Amino acid sequence: MTHMGLSSCVSLCLPDLFIERFCMTGGSSPIGYLKAWQTNLYLSADAEKVREALSEGIAAATMFMSNKLTEVSQTQLRVAFDGDAVLFSDESERIFKAQGLDGFFQHERDNEDILLDRGPLKDFLASLGKLQKKFYAKGHRLDCPIRTYLVTARSAASSGIRALKTLRAWGLETDEALFLAGAPKGPMLEKIRPHIYFDDQMFHVEGAAEMGTVAAHVPYGIAQKHPHKKSLNTGK
Ligand SMILES: [Mg+2]
């Protein structure tokens, strides 16, 4: 399904994972080959290559390993996603930056029935969903070896509804959806114990890594232009 970085990450929990495809590019960028390989996810410690992959429409993230690693399941792959600017576009984040929290809430209420645009990792969640359905077909619904999580700063009562409606319309509901309403993500991720967590904001990536989660940064959206400004995910 995937190759390169994810293979090494997944092999932490799936020691029998075969890594069959690889390339040696003599120091030149491998990004041009990713589409030909039908890559579902590109992970690298090289942020520049990750940005290049995202610009090619490939789901991609920069890896940051934690010094302290929380023990993870050996039998179930758990993947956690932020919502805005990861599964969804950064549309709402832009409204927050321009109009503040009240403007954001109003915008989400006004657009509750309008689906959010796709974000850079939507197709990767869809790929995991396809694998899950294969396990369901074999009777493994409750003990599916893949479990997905939405971990968002949106709140369930208001802005979260639009996110849920969008996922449902895409047919891509995560197994669990956690609406933190601005609370720190690190402690929740410590409980979930995902093998990897994706977020567009370094603040959350660092917060997750500090608490032992393998976190990956998706360098996409408005948060990259103003990384130190108050953001949707930290401002509530
Ligand atoms: Mg976000």
Side-chain angles (χ1 to χ4, degrees):
M1 175 181 71
T2 58
H3 65 286
M4 298 182 184
L6 183 61
S7 299
S8 59
C9 171
V10 173
S11 66
L12 293 173
C13 64
L14 301 172
D16 296 331
L17 179 73
F18 289 110
I19 301 173
E20 293 177 315
R21 292 181 196 161
F22 69 97
C23 64
M24 293 180 285
T25 58
S28 62
S29 172
I31 304 302
Y33 299 135
L34 296 182
K35 274 198 177 156
W37 263 338
Q38 299 181 314
T39 303
N40 300 98
L41 177 68
Y42 176 74
L43 295 175
S44 172
D46 184 335
E48 201 47 54
K49 285 197 177 67
V50 168
R51 273 189 280 273
E52 203 185 326
L54 284 174
S55 70
E56 295 270 323
I58 305 282
T62 313
M63 292 296 291
F64 292 90
M65 296 300 287
S66 172
N67 290 329
K68 159 193 161 191
L69 281 181
T70 303
E71 200 173 315
V72 292
S73 171
Q74 299 296 306
T75 54
Q76 183 180 59
L77 175 66
R78 297 178 187 168
V79 184
F81 299 86
D82 174 35
D84 291 282
V86 174
L87 293 179
F88 312 121
S89 77
D90 66 340
E91 165 200 334
S92 301
E93 184 85 28
R94 285 173 183 273
I95 297 292
F96 175 78
K97 286 279 195 306
Q99 301 176 21
L101 196 54
D102 289 342
F104 163 76
F105 282 134
Q106 187 63 47
H107 179 266
E108 295 309 288
R109 272 194 298 273
D110 293 346
N111 293 280
E112 189 184 303
D113 293 321
I114 296 174
L115 301 186
L116 288 155
D117 282 337
R118 53 178 294 142
L121 264 64
K122 179 201 167 187
D123 286 347
F124 178 55
L125 176 62
S127 302
L128 292 175
K130 275 184 198 164
L131 284 177
Q132 285 179 307
K133 283 188 180 127
K134 288 183 182 175
F135 286 111
Y136 298 163
K138 290 178 183 171
H140 296 291
R141 179 164 278 278
L142 293 176
D143 60 344
C144 181
I146 300 172
R147 192 163 183 86
T148 56
Y149 303 79
L150 170 67
V151 181
T152 174
R154 286 176 179 250
S155 51
S158 55
S159 55
I161 293 170
R162 190 176 179 205
L164 279 183
K165 282 185 176 178
T166 299
L167 287 176
R168 277 184 197 147
W170 288 344
L172 293 182
E173 286 179 84
T174 51
D175 293 297
E176 296 188 27
L178 300 139
F179 297 91
L180 302 187
K185 295 183 177 181
M188 183 57 75
L189 290 165
E190 192 183 29
K191 294 290 175 199
I192 294 171
R193 300 187 177 195
H195 294 82
I196 190 164
Y197 170 65
F198 298 96
D199 203 295
D200 63 301
Q201 303 196 47
M202 278 306 297
F203 173 85
H204 289 303
V205 170
E206 288 164 359
E210 275 168 24
M211 300 201 72
T213 297
V214 174
H217 179 235
V218 181
Y220 160 82
I222 190 78
Q224 316 314 312
K225 291 188 179 130
H226 308 287
H228 302 302
K229 274 181 86 175
K230 207 173 175 187
S231 73
L232 180 59
N233 283 349
T234 60
K236 290 175 188 169

